[in-house]
Amino acid sequence: MKNIIFIAPPAAGKGTQAKLVSEEYNIPHISTGDLLREEIVNGSELGKQIKEVINQGNLVTDEIITDLLRKRITAKDCQNGYILDGYPRTLTQAKIYDNLLKELKYDKGIVIFFDINKDLAAQRTINRIICPNCGSSYNLLIDELKPQKENTCDRCQHQLHLRNDDTIEIFNHRFDTYINSTKDLIEYYRKLNLLYCIKVEEKSAQQIFEEVKRIIND
Ligand code: AMP
């Protein structure tokens, strides 16, 4: 069973790698942010509570997130494994997750940390452009993510725009917050010998994917 945790700062290419791994190994990509948003869209009582917490910029309680996660990872499509994204976010969640894996008799799994330096992440972030019409996302710094025709969406031919939430100030805050909040987690998994670190540097998505596969197949 391949259960894999992805830890990655903003702009490290986690979304691209998750998609590639998911297709290669036929395992789902589980983002806890998405799980929570689905619950909100369902309009349940729980969804209403979650919406309030997220809108205030807080973390959802460990109890809620663990219940949702337990349901998700025991679903049929997770039998061969899954990629976990956005969980665990704290040391407490990591310990809860360890117990959950033991209880379900699942493998301990592995943790892949995509290590990107802040300057490169900043450059990638401010070069990110989106299509305001269909939501497609591009990046002028990454060959695989450039639009085929300059400033034009490949999918719908609409003119592309810079993402206005990708300013350098917002980026700096998001990046620093992420690094601070994951330091303990990374240390925790390093001590357990479950951590694999990939240096993103100027590598292509395909080169990084080769490294990811080597780790998973090991
Ligand atoms: P994300 O899409 O990962 O940025 O998550 C969006 C929001 O969902 C976060 O700001 C949190 O409020 C909540 N959230 C996502 N994952 C977790 C988690 N593991 N623990 C608690 N709250 C979470």
Side-chain angles (χ1 to χ4, degrees), residues 14 31-37 40 50 53-62 65-66 85-90 93 174:
K14 179 185 66 186
S31 142
T32 46
D34 288 348
L35 281 185
L36 294 167
R37 282 183 285 273
I40 295 175
I50 293 173
V53 176
I54 292 188
N55 285 348
Q56 286 164 354
N58 293 322
L59 286 182
V60 171
T61 63
D62 292 338
I65 198 86
T66 308
D85 165 8
Y87 185 97
R89 244 180 172 84
T90 60
Q93 286 185 1
R174 277 177 63 211

